[in-house]
């Protein structure tokens, strides 16, 4: 089949006395945010190219149709389709969700306490059918305090413009006109007469908080707060004791909070602490005390306590620890629960308020786990919580746990209907030296029958941005590769916070290349220790993990059999130079400001995947993107693919698949998500010659 061709229309670009040619910049439309809302506004020439690439990808994946179907059935077969969550009890009702064998979306249910009459208050599949849309994204589902109203927000394009609706549950009628172009989050006032929401501006940034009175026109909505900086976005939430609303405005690196009393008739937000560059803080209220989770003078965070926000006198409640990330607090009448993270592993602690004694909660003898704790009810006068954990080989187990007696009883176990034996798998946590001697954690999961003689294929997953940590969770989908002798390894590289804030700082701005080097050295470690061999590794990453994939494949293509990159941030220089795009300004502290700072320009220019494509052999590459993605525009992978076709000197596969009805997270619905995974895995099995 003829290789797709994107017409070259050379444009000379220049910045800081550096000039470069971009043959494909023309595909970016000035009205791109309108295209995200209405795909009919897409340039027909660009649409034809994307369609041709889709046809080309489908042609070369034709021999994987059977394995795609097998993988789909396998992955779906490991999901308990007709499942129910554990209930959460408020003052009048118990609420929970369920899924069905036939449905793709969740159902929200409730029943009055001490009754057996179950009421369905939300059915995603029925709502989608009512609207007659292909994409169906739910932003928020929120029930009012009086249990009378259901607030919900929907995105039916994938572009993350959410429309809020408020429904009378009993009457099944809307009580207000729809509120379009919001961030999706819904917060009811305590008296349920109002909701608070954040509105998106013309650049898709949430910079305002409005209050909407139920039953009135949105034209009458009151502006409660406006953020003046283009780099910051805002949100609103209720304190744990329901006495205050807190408005948080932040970028990735700096935050500022305002508060007003929940009972105020006319909210008047008051500043807590003036923003300082690089300082993050989050205040909560409980039992006439205020708790501040902050990194001020505490690189890996600490928790402070004070009696007042008007006359602040903060004292350490949980002091800072070096390279131990201190998490925030969850409150009960007699307990304060919190988490810590170090060496890519989480721990949970419970402090008895009456005795002052704090202890770590021990879950299991397994070493590499993801623990979690959640509340069982709204009434905080209890010692009982939900306690859960999973590991790369062990499905999630949830216990009712008594914090006082330490007694626990299993109440829910993630079922794998097609069968699963954890003893068939081996999980290892190792550390390896990166290029500068830093020890990087690496989680490796393999089938016990897979030989460690270098012959195995290995999928190396990485992300390494925004301080996002890659937890060693259980994933039933990955078993489809692991059971076929493909080892799965997750590199906990710098740019995440697996080893604290320092770990993040060492992988961002002009330290970004540490992220790429950490990943490459993970690959080399795995080769040297016979987990796999050179040219047998399949790299995988999405979004900022796609930036990682683009950078490492330009730098060390010989290590890889293939690369799978989803919605990849591969034209990072162009995006960073365009301050009108939704995320650019808010990410100056993550990637830099190339337009205004020459040092940042030079550094980004030296690694940006699109700008560093070379005339050389590349491994097999599958790139997936979505037309309505507002976070990483489809421009980026499309341009990257077109330029790579022009430069690469090999005959390996290069496939670009664009989902024409989806956003950054891919297709909506359970089946849609599984279909996309099946394509990725089928590609991996094809290039590994395992079909």
């Amino acid at each position: 089949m003829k290789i797709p061709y994107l017409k070259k229309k050379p444009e000379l670009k220049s910045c800081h006395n550096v000039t470069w040619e971009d043959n494909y910049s023309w595909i970016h439309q000035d009205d791109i945010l309108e295209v995200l809302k209405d795909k009919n506004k897409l340039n027909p020439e660009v649409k034809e190219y994307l369609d041709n690439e889709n046809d080309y990808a489908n042609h070369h994946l034709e021999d994987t149709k059977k394995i795609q179907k097998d993988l789909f059935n396998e992955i779906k077969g490991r999901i308990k389709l007709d499942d129910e969550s554990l209930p959460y009890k408020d003052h009048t009702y118990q609420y929970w969700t369920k899924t069905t064998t036939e449905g793709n979306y969740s159902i929200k249910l409730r029943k009055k306490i001490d009754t057996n009459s179950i009421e369905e208050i939300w059915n995603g599949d029925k709502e989608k059918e009512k609207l007659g849309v292909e994409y169906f994204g739910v932003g928020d589902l929120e029930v009012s305090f009086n249990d009378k109203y259901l607030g919900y927000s929907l995105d039916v394009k994938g572009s993350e413009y959410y429309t809020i609706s408020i429904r009378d549950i009993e009457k099944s009628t809307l009580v207000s006109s729809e509120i379009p172009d919001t961030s999706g989050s819904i917060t009811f006032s305590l008296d349920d007469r109002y909701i608070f929401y954040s509105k998106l501006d013309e650049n898709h940034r949430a910079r305002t908080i409005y209050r909407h009175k139920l039953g009135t026109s949105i034209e009458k909505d009151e502006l409660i707060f406006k953020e003046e900086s283009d780099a910051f976005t805002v949100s609103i939430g209720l304190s744990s004791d329901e006495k205050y609303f807190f408005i948080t405005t932040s970028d990735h690196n700096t935050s500022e909070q305002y508060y007003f009393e929940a009972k105020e008739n006319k909210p008047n937000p008051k500043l807590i602490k003036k923003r300082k560059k690089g300082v993050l803080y989050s205040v909560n209220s409980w039992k006439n005390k205020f708790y501040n989770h902050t990194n001020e003078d505490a690189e890996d965070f600490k928790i402070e306590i004070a009696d007042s926000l008007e006359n602040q006198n903060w004292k350490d409640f949980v002091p800072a620890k070096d390279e131990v990330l201190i998490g925030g607090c969850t409150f009960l009448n007699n307990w304060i629960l919190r988490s810590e993270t170090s060496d890519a592993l989480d721990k949970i602690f419970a402090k008895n308020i009456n005795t002052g004694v704090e202890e770590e909660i021990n879950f299991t003898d397994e070493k590499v786990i993801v623990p979690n704790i959640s509340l069982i009810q709204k009434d905080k006068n209890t010692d009982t919580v939900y306690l859960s954990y999973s590991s790369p080989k062990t499905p999630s187990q949830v216990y009712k746990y008594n914090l006082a007696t330490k007694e626990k009883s299993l109440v829910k176990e993630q079922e794998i209907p097609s069968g699963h034996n954890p003893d068939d798998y081996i999980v290892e946590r190792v550390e390896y030296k990166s290029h500068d001697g830093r020890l990087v954690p690496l989680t490796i999961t393999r089938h016990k029958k897979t030989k460690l003689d270098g012959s195995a294929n290995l999928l190396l997953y990485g992300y390494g941005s925004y301080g996002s940590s890659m937890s060693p969770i259980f994933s039933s989908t990955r078993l489809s590769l692991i059971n076929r002798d493909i080892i799965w390894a997750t590199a906990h590289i710098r740019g995440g916070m697996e080893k604290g804030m320092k770990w993040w700082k060492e992988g961002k701005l002009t330290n970004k290349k540490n992220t790429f080097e950490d990943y490459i050295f993970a690959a080399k470690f795995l080769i040297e220790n016979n987990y796999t061999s050179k040219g047998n590794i399949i790299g995988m990453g999405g979004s900022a993990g796609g930036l990682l994939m683009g950078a490492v494949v330009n730098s060390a293509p010989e290590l890889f059999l293939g690369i799978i990159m989803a919605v990849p941030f591969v034209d990072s220089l162009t995006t960073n130079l365009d301050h009108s795009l939704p995320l650019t300004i808010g990410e100056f502290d993550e990637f830099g400001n190339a337009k205004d700072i020459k040092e940042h320009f030079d550094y980004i220019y030296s690694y940006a995947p699109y700008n560093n494509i070379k005339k050389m052999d590349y491994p097999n590459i599958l790139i997936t993107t979505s037309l309505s993605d507002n976070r990483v525009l489809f421009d980026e992978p499309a341009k990257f693919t077109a330029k790579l076709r022009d430069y690469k000197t090999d005959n390996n596969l290069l496939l670009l698949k664009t989902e024409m009805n989806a956003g950054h997270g891919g297709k909506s619905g359970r089946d849609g998500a599984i279909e996309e995974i099946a394509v990725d895995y089928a590609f991996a099995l094809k290039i590994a010659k395992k079909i």
Side-chain angles (χ1 to χ4, degrees):
M1 188 178 181
K2 189 178 177 184
I3 295 173
Y5 175 75
L6 182 61
K7 193 173 182 180
K8 292 179 181 177
K9 300 180 184 180
E11 177 191 0
L12 276 181
K13 294 182 173 182
S14 63
C15 190
H16 300 294
N17 297 317
V18 176
T19 301
W20 69 100
E21 187 176 71
D22 190 339
N23 288 319
Y24 307 108
S25 58
W26 64 271
I27 74 169
H28 178 75
Q29 295 176 219
D30 290 337
D31 64 344
I32 188 62
L33 294 183
E34 290 303 310
V35 175
L36 300 185
K37 288 182 171 183
D38 182 0
K39 64 183 179 183
N40 293 319
K41 294 183 179 179
L42 178 64
N43 180 333
E45 194 175 351
V46 175
K47 183 180 185 304
E48 183 183 8
Y49 171 70
L50 296 177
D51 287 339
N52 288 342
E53 285 283 7
N54 279 344
D55 291 342
Y56 184 78
N58 289 334
H59 171 76
H60 282 281
L61 292 172
E62 186 64 37
D63 60 348
T64 70
K65 291 297 183 192
K66 182 183 180 303
I67 193 68
Q68 282 185 49
K69 189 174 180 181
D70 291 346
L71 287 165
F72 179 90
N73 291 332
E74 260 179 42
I75 293 167
K76 195 168 180 178
R78 296 194 197 101
I79 300 170
K80 189 175 188 301
L81 302 176
D82 53 339
D83 201 8
E84 296 194 8
S85 70
L86 290 167
Y88 175 80
K89 186 165 71 173
D90 76 0
H91 44 77
T92 309
Y93 287 89
Q94 281 189 322
Y95 286 90
W96 70 100
T97 59
K98 81 168 183 177
T99 53
T100 64
T101 305
E102 303 80 20
N104 265 300
Y105 301 89
S106 65
I107 297 167
K108 193 171 182 74
L109 302 166
R110 73 178 182 183
K111 73 180 185 74
K112 278 191 174 175
I113 296 166
D114 298 327
T115 71
N116 294 316
S117 178
I118 296 174
E119 186 182 357
E120 181 179 291
I121 65 170
W122 176 262
N123 185 312
D125 288 282
K126 289 179 182 176
E127 298 290 340
K128 179 177 185 284
E129 189 179 345
K130 249 194 289 187
L131 293 171
V133 293
E134 186 166 340
Y135 183 91
F136 184 76
V138 180
D140 202 356
L141 277 178
E142 196 71 26
V143 177
S144 60
F145 291 95
N146 62 10
D147 298 296
K148 186 177 178 182
Y149 304 115
L150 175 70
Y152 59 94
S153 59
L154 298 177
D155 165 23
V156 295
K157 302 284 186 185
S159 53
E160 296 181 68
Y161 288 91
Y162 289 94
T163 297
I164 291 174
S165 302
I166 310 295
R167 180 184 293 169
D168 185 305
I169 295 173
E170 191 177 319
K171 297 176 182 175
S172 291
T173 55
L174 295 183
V175 297
S176 286
S177 52
E178 294 179 333
I179 308 173
D181 298 339
T182 78
S183 66
S185 182
I186 302 165
T187 303
F188 279 92
S189 62
L190 283 187
D191 61 10
D192 295 315
R193 293 170 59 215
Y194 302 92
I195 62 160
F196 298 97
Y197 67 93
S198 52
K199 190 89 173 166
L200 298 174
D201 66 12
E202 65 276 8
N203 297 112
H204 199 281
R205 297 172 187 146
R207 293 173 51 224
T208 51
I209 299 288
Y210 281 89
R211 183 171 78 160
H212 169 76
K213 187 175 183 180
L214 301 193
T216 66
S217 165
I218 60 172
E219 281 74 31
K220 294 180 180 177
D221 289 0
E222 303 167 78
L223 177 65
I224 301 298
F225 181 84
K226 183 176 182 182
E227 171 55 57
E228 297 300 334
S229 168
D230 288 336
F232 279 51
T233 56
V234 299
S235 61
I236 186 168
L238 188 62
S239 63
S240 291
D241 58 11
E242 298 185 352
K243 288 184 178 179
Y244 302 93
F245 283 103
F246 290 106
I247 293 173
T248 302
T249 179
S250 64
D251 63 7
H252 292 289
N253 198 51
T254 305
S255 68
E256 185 175 76
Q257 269 191 316
Y258 295 76
Y259 73 103
F260 59 90
E261 289 189 23
K263 293 178 181 177
E264 283 183 41
N265 288 326
K266 188 159 181 60
N268 177 31
K270 295 176 279 293
L271 177 65
I272 297 177
K273 296 176 92 171
K274 191 174 174 59
R275 69 187 69 173
K276 288 184 194 172
K277 189 173 175 60
V279 172
L280 295 162
Y281 75 90
S282 177
V283 173
N284 199 352
S285 167
W286 182 251
K287 284 199 168 182
N288 301 315
K289 302 280 187 186
F290 295 93
Y291 295 82
N292 183 25
H293 181 234
T294 182
N295 68 343
E296 186 169 18
D297 302 323
E299 187 170 46
D300 294 316
F301 288 85
K302 63 183 176 182
I303 299 169
E304 300 175 322
I305 189 169
D307 294 323
S308 168
L309 292 182
E310 292 172 351
N311 301 298
Q312 295 176 29
N313 182 23
W314 295 103
K315 296 175 182 174
D316 278 3
F317 179 70
V318 178
K321 301 180 186 179
D322 188 41
E323 292 202 4
V324 176
L325 193 66
I326 305 293
C329 293
T330 300
F331 299 97
L332 293 171
N333 279 6
N334 298 315
W335 303 91
I336 296 177
L337 312 170
R338 65 178 189 86
S339 65
E340 290 183 1
T341 303
S342 59
D343 291 322
L345 293 172
D346 298 336
K347 296 177 181 177
I348 289 179
F349 295 85
K351 181 170 187 170
N352 187 312
I353 294 173
N354 301 316
T355 65
V357 174
E358 183 177 74
E359 293 181 305
E360 181 185 349
I361 299 176
N362 291 312
F363 287 71
T364 171
D365 292 335
E366 282 190 70
K367 301 300 181 194
V368 182
I369 67 164
V370 180
N372 190 40
I373 199 160
S374 60
L375 300 184
I376 207 164
Q377 61 189 45
K378 188 180 181 70
D379 182 359
K380 305 292 179 69
N381 188 28
T382 181
D383 294 328
T384 305
V385 292
Y386 287 134
L387 190 66
S388 66
Y389 87 93
S390 71
S391 79
K393 69 175 186 176
T394 306
S396 172
Q397 298 185 4
V398 187
Y399 298 86
K400 263 188 184 178
Y401 181 77
N402 188 298
L403 294 159
T405 66
K406 300 181 183 176
E407 292 175 353
K408 65 179 182 180
S409 58
L410 184 66
V411 289
K412 186 173 175 59
E413 190 168 14
Q414 181 182 349
E415 276 186 53
I416 310 297
S418 58
H420 174 72
N421 181 4
D423 294 335
D424 286 342
Y425 304 92
I426 296 169
V427 177
E428 294 177 85
R429 165 58 62 80
V430 298
E431 287 188 320
Y432 64 91
K433 278 188 179 178
S434 190
H435 67 109
D436 56 357
R438 277 292 246 159
L439 289 173
V440 184
L442 183 64
T443 303
I444 305 166
T445 309
R446 58 189 168 90
H447 198 281
K448 66 183 182 182
K449 292 181 180 176
T450 301
K451 294 176 181 175
L452 294 185
D453 58 4
S455 64
N457 290 107
L458 181 144
L459 190 144
L460 181 58
Y461 183 83
Y463 187 74
S465 286
Y466 303 113
S468 291
S469 299
M470 298 296 103
S471 298
I473 57 170
F474 177 76
S475 166
S476 64
T477 60
R478 295 174 188 173
L479 299 177
S480 288
L481 295 183
I482 295 169
N483 290 345
R484 290 175 171 86
D485 279 341
I486 296 180
I487 297 169
W488 188 289
T490 299
H492 303 282
I493 52 184
R494 279 174 282 186
M497 280 206 287
E498 285 94 337
K499 294 179 80 169
M501 281 288 280
K502 196 180 293 180
W503 204 243
W504 182 11
K505 290 176 181 176
E506 289 181 16
K508 68 175 182 172
L509 293 171
T510 51
N511 291 320
K512 190 67 214 163
K513 289 180 185 176
N514 283 334
T515 305
F516 314 143
E517 291 291 343
D518 286 356
Y519 185 89
I520 289 169
F521 272 73
K524 290 177 177 177
F525 171 87
L526 290 160
I527 292 165
E528 288 164 6
N529 287 274
N530 281 333
Y531 288 96
T532 187
S533 54
K534 191 174 177 180
N536 261 347
I537 295 175
I538 300 164
M540 180 184 263
S543 194
L547 164 67
L548 168 69
M549 292 300 107
V552 300
V553 80
N554 281 335
S555 176
E558 72 283 353
L559 296 177
F560 301 97
L561 170 65
I563 297 283
I564 300 170
M565 49 174 94
V567 291
F569 182 37
V570 280
D571 192 12
S572 51
L573 179 64
T574 301
T575 293
N576 191 270
L577 290 169
D578 187 348
H579 294 187
S580 72
L581 293 176
L583 300 186
T584 297
I585 292 176
E587 297 186 347
F588 284 167
D589 285 325
E590 181 70 26
F591 297 109
N593 179 357
K595 189 175 183 178
D596 299 328
I597 302 171
K598 186 179 188 308
E599 181 192 9
H600 290 178
F601 172 85
D602 291 341
Y603 193 77
I604 296 171
Y605 187 76
S606 73
Y607 73 73
Y610 179 69
N611 297 86
N612 287 277
I613 292 172
K614 305 178 184 74
K615 284 204 175 291
M616 63 180 182
D617 286 358
Y618 280 82
N620 300 285
I621 298 176
L622 170 64
I623 303 171
T624 58
T625 186
S626 298
L627 186 62
S628 296
D629 187 349
N630 83 78
R631 301 190 188 208
V632 180
L633 300 177
F634 71 87
D635 300 2
E636 299 199 32
K639 288 173 64 180
F640 183 81
T641 303
K643 184 174 180 181
L644 194 53
R645 290 207 185 285
D646 194 38
Y647 274 67
K648 73 191 198 84
T649 53
D650 58 85
N651 293 315
N652 291 323
L653 289 174
L654 171 58
L655 307 179
L656 171 66
K657 275 184 71 70
T658 303
E659 179 52 52
M660 306 304 271
N661 293 290
H664 193 65
K667 292 181 182 179
S668 67
R670 180 172 60 199
D671 285 359
I674 297 172
E675 285 167 5
E676 292 187 329
I677 295 168
V679 170
D680 290 347
Y681 287 9
F683 176 80
L685 294 171
K686 176 183 170 82
I687 62 176
K689 296 183 168 54
K690 289 182 178 289
I691 295 180

